[in-house]
Amino acid sequence: AIDFGNLQQECLRTVIGSAILRQINWQSVKMIGTLKEIRHAYGFEDVAIVPGAVTVNPEQASLGLEIGDLQFPIPIIASAMDAVVSPEFAIQLGNMGGLGVLNMEGLYARYVDAADKVAEIAGAPASAVTGILQSLYQEPIKETLVGERVEQIHKSGTVCAVSFTPQNTKRLGPVAVEAGAHLLVVQSTVTTARHISKSYHGLVLSELVEQINVPVVVGNCVTYGATLELMEAGVAAILVGVGPGAACTTREVTGVGVPQVTATIDCSAAREEYYRRTGRRVAIITDGGIRTGGDMCKSIVAGADGVMIGTPFAQTEEAPGKGFNWGMATPHAALPRGTRINTGTKGTLQQLLFGPTSRTDGTQNLVGALRVCMGMCGALSIQELQQAEMVVAPAIATEGKA
């Protein structure tokens, strides 16, 4: 008889290498009936990072993130959410070394007075807010506003990144790039290189990459195969995560999603295989579900080159939502897959990224937490931190705690 469990492991070892396989608990793989095979998947709360045999000075660690020909001093990106990134917020974050992505299908591309609309949503009663969101987002996107928002960020001297859904990228992407956008994000709940539809000629990513003379970031996905195909289309970075964000209800509404540690490991394995084949490195960005410095560090040890976060930025004084946040799919007219959440305001953008802070729960000074983790693991670069060992440790947060 053929031992299919061992055969699968051997095949995967050939494709992705033993380093990734160390982090897969093959004993947890079980057969469901005779048609489905299921393996355990891990989130941030299920794992822990093992310190290295050598430690380094945290201040000597390099935290840089590269996306195409663009370089960022810190590997932290703000999600394309209207309550998180305004043009002003993108400029502030850019000046601090990060990247803010502006949602060009959101309020800033629909209304001249977008700040007033954000405030209206933030101040709406919970019982009426979804209807208000759906109504406000029915206003048509204006190409003139797309250009004006891009020019505003571009003129500040910071990198301008904008986000579109696949169905609007062909029409509005060139408008943004012509106005000066440096980076284009094509984002939907789930993105693949192959989309089957009888209703329209969909976006072909390989064609977009050839036509748009800026790096293209694509998301979201959570699997090895989809990631590899997207990389073969020529994209510069992949966003990893389906439904983990605090303001997203995709997992509840559709049942679709993979815990972020497992998703990041699988997508990073595809990056390594693609790099082995081509010599071109594509960035992996863990997107969503990151609340603390520990979550961010675990993302990178799982293989990420950087992280995209939403709610922690929404909790800053500079965020346009003023203590509220909502997902990009919340205003969907037929099937809302998000909710407005009250995040509260915990501090400044400076405190969130660099401190100083008096909070002991890891929700501020994310860059400081990353540096300390790198020091403990003996890593002088993000790629070295990706080589750190990770263990399954579901009691890591509660062991010894009363």
Side-chain angles (χ1 to χ4, degrees):
I2 298 175
D3 186 339
F4 286 100
N6 287 334
L7 179 60
Q8 183 184 49
Q9 291 185 51
E10 290 305 317
C11 291
L12 279 175
R13 183 171 288 109
T14 300
V15 174
I16 65 178
S18 58
I20 297 297
L21 287 177
R22 288 202 311 266
Q23 302 176 62
I24 298 177
N25 180 9
W26 289 101
Q27 292 183 346
S28 69
V29 175
K30 300 182 183 299
M31 291 301 295
I32 304 300
T34 58
L35 297 176
K36 296 284 186 183
E37 188 175 86
I38 186 169
R39 64 185 170 105
H40 195 93
Y42 300 101
F44 296 124
E45 69 279 2
D46 299 316
V47 300
I49 301 167
V50 179
V54 176
T55 56
V56 300
N57 183 341
E59 295 305 314
Q60 294 180 334
S62 173
L63 313 182
L65 168 66
E66 294 186 9
I67 300 178
D69 58 356
L70 300 173
Q71 298 184 352
F72 304 93
I74 60 175
I76 302 176
I77 303 172
S79 301
M81 308 170 87
D82 283 345
V84 174
V85 179
S86 63
E88 294 79 11
F89 187 94
I91 293 169
Q92 288 177 294
L93 179 56
N95 288 334
M96 292 183 174
L99 176 67
V101 181
L102 188 64
N103 178 11
M104 278 302 186
E105 295 186 29
L107 299 174
Y108 298 100
R110 299 174 191 266
Y111 298 95
V112 174
D113 58 341
D116 293 340
K117 306 304 180 186
V118 172
E120 180 181 347
I121 295 168
S127 59
V129 69
T130 299
I132 291 172
L133 279 159
Q134 290 172 320
S135 176
L136 288 174
Y137 281 80
Q138 290 301 307
E139 180 72 14
I141 299 169
K142 300 173 178 63
E143 291 188 11
T144 54
L145 281 177
V146 171
E148 289 174 11
R149 303 305 189 194
V150 169
E151 290 175 1
Q152 180 181 352
I153 300 172
H154 184 86
K155 288 179 180 178
S156 73
T158 58
V159 172
C160 177
V162 294
S163 174
F164 298 101
T165 58
Q167 55 264 41
N168 285 317
T169 298
K170 286 195 292 186
R171 178 172 67 90
L172 296 174
V175 175
V177 173
E178 179 68 23
H182 303 96
L183 186 148
L184 186 65
V185 180
V186 182
Q187 192 166 13
S188 61
T189 303
V190 174
T191 300
T192 60
R194 292 173 291 147
H195 177 69
I196 300 171
S197 174
K198 294 181 179 179
S199 59
Y200 67 97
H201 177 66
L203 176 69
V204 179
L205 287 169
S206 58
E207 295 176 359
L208 176 70
V209 170
E210 290 181 3
Q211 296 166 1
I212 297 290
N213 194 30
V214 298
V216 176
V217 178
V218 174
N220 284 44
C221 68
V222 291
T223 65
Y224 177 96
T227 299
L228 192 58
E229 286 195 35
L230 288 169
M231 290 179 177
E232 289 169 346
V235 303
I238 302 284
L239 300 177
V240 176
V242 173
C248 181
T249 60
T250 292
R251 292 178 177 180
E252 291 83 355
V253 173
T254 68
V256 175
V258 174
Q260 285 292 65
V261 170
T262 292
T264 301
I265 288 173
D266 290 350
C267 295
S268 299
R271 175 200 58 212
E272 296 305 313
E273 171 60 14
Y274 181 75
Y275 180 76
R276 184 189 68 80
R277 294 182 191 176
T278 68
R280 185 175 77 93
R281 188 174 178 86
V282 179
I284 292 292
I285 311 295
T286 302
D287 174 19
I290 296 165
R291 299 164 298 151
T292 66
D295 294 341
M296 178 176 65
C297 295
K298 291 175 185 179
S299 297
I300 293 173
V301 174
D305 298 288
V307 297
M308 175 176 273
I309 59 178
T311 294
F313 279 121
Q315 294 171 328
T316 65
E317 294 175 7
E318 294 86 349
K322 302 303 178 187
F324 288 88
N325 193 20
W326 52 90
M328 289 178 284
T330 304
H332 194 282
L335 188 65
R337 298 184 304 282
T339 183
R340 185 197 65 178
I341 59 173
N342 186 346
T343 65
T345 301
K346 293 187 175 181
T348 65
L349 186 56
Q350 172 71 30
Q351 287 175 304
L352 172 67
L353 293 176
F354 304 106
T357 180
S358 58
R359 301 189 70 90
T360 60
D361 57 3
T363 57
Q364 291 185 342
N365 196 358
L366 301 182
V367 172
L370 178 57
R371 286 193 179 278
V372 170
C373 176
M374 294 175 75
M376 291 177 173
C377 294
L380 289 171
S381 68
I382 294 296
Q383 290 190 36
E384 288 185 8
L385 184 58
Q386 291 168 352
Q387 304 306 310
E389 184 180 357
M390 180 177 281
V391 295
V392 178
I396 189 67
T398 57
E399 184 181 32
K401 310 298 190 293

